[in-house]
Amino acid sequence: MNCPCVPPIITITSTVAEAVPEEGQCVPMGPPVINSSMAETRIQRMTESVSRRLGLTVFQRVYNYLKGARERQEDEGSIRQALSSLVERPSDGFEVDQLLYYEEQLQGAREGAREGAREGAREGAREGAQ
């Protein structure tokens, strides 16, 4: 029931269609949150599984090669060629590459958490000084 003498408290002017972004429209999102203990468990299991399948020596060679290749930003063709001399199946190299990816994500999350803690401590010190 609308009373003409009392203005509405809230006016809704947008529709559902206006609230939902159109296809191709970018919606800002924060960085992904990583559960560190789950990531550590996944990394440990992947390491054990792949090193068991490849053997510890081959696993270490592939791991060290891929880690260095990613740091040097080698192209995919060179990486595939080098891996073909290290492992029989390309999927074995892919699993080690996934492992490196998860390690990188976990390290980034830890560094972000440390930076957030340092920033929080700085803000707390500023507030305490005022």
Side-chain angles (χ1 to χ4, degrees), residues 61-76 78-80 82-83 86 97 100 104:
R61 284 184 190 148
V62 173
Y63 180 91
N64 292 334
Y65 167 73
L66 281 173
K67 189 168 187 167
R70 297 298 179 204
E71 288 171 359
R72 294 185 299 275
Q73 298 179 348
E74 289 184 22
D75 66 281
E76 293 298 315
S78 299
I79 292 172
R80 270 190 236 110
L83 284 175
L86 294 172
D97 202 32
L100 287 165
E104 184 179 296

Side-chain angles (χ1 to χ4, degrees), residues 2-56:
N2 288 337
C3 177
C5 344
V6 180
I9 297 173
I10 299 174
T11 56
I12 300 174
T13 57
S14 65
T15 64
V16 172
E18 293 170 332
V20 176
E22 294 179 23
E23 188 176 324
Q25 189 177 13
C26 183
V27 178
M29 295 175 59
V33 177
I34 295 176
N35 181 327
S36 295
S37 62
M38 284 180 58
E40 289 169 353
T41 301
R42 175 178 267 172
I43 289 167
Q44 181 181 359
R45 287 185 181 153
M46 285 181 75
T47 302
E48 291 169 359
S49 172
V50 177
S51 62
R52 221 180 1 254
R53 195 169 351 96
L54 297 177
L56 193 55

Side-chain angles (χ1 to χ4, degrees), residues 78-105:
S78 299
I79 292 172
R80 270 190 236 110
Q81 186 176 6
L83 284 175
S84 68
S85 68
L86 294 172
V87 292
E88 292 177 24
R89 297 183 319 223
S91 61
D92 292 331
F94 175 73
E95 286 186 84
V96 177
D97 202 32
Q98 271 189 316
L99 174 63
L100 287 165
Y101 172 79
Y102 288 129
E103 288 177 345
E104 184 179 296
Q105 294 300 307

